[in-house]
Amino acid sequence: MMAGVMLVKQKVGSIERWDTVFRNPELDAVRREHGLVVTGTYADADDPNIVIVVMDMHDLGKARRFAASAELATAREQAGAIGSPDGVWFGPHQIQ
């Protein structure tokens, strides 16, 4: 059962470089271990070097740990992320 969503907005030097690292199966396995499943990646309408990632989030605590993990920090560096994310949002519950 999905608990909610996690959204991330990040400036990158190159969408192509970022995408290569982001789609690495090993990084995807780490995300999944933390209860995150990517459902969409988007380029910002006003700046094509800003990516927006949408993930189903199955466990808020695990998602927070992933966001602060060494694995993600290493991947962000390899992917050419510029600075910290512009935002990370955790939406643990859908409003119905």
Side-chain angles (χ1 to χ4, degrees), residues 3 5-6 8 19-20 25 28 40 43 62 64 68 72 82 86 89 92:
V5 296
M6 178 176 167
V8 179
D19 193 51
T20 298
D28 187 55
K62 287 182 179 182
R64 287 185 190 275
L72 180 57
I82 298 172
D86 290 338
W89 297 272

Side-chain angles (χ1 to χ4, degrees), residues 2-8 27 30-38 53-73 76 85 87-93:
M2 182 182 78
V5 296
M6 178 176 167
L7 305 172
V8 179
L27 182 59
V30 173
R31 278 192 298 264
R32 288 176 181 273
E33 288 171 12
H34 287 86
L36 297 165
V37 177
V38 175
V53 179
V54 180
M55 293 172 274
D56 284 350
M57 178 182 67
H58 298 278
D59 183 298
L60 177 59
K62 287 182 179 182
R64 287 185 190 275
R65 285 190 291 280
F66 175 73
S69 72
E71 294 96 341
L72 180 57
R76 290 181 69 255
V88 177
W89 297 272
F90 303 95
H93 306 289

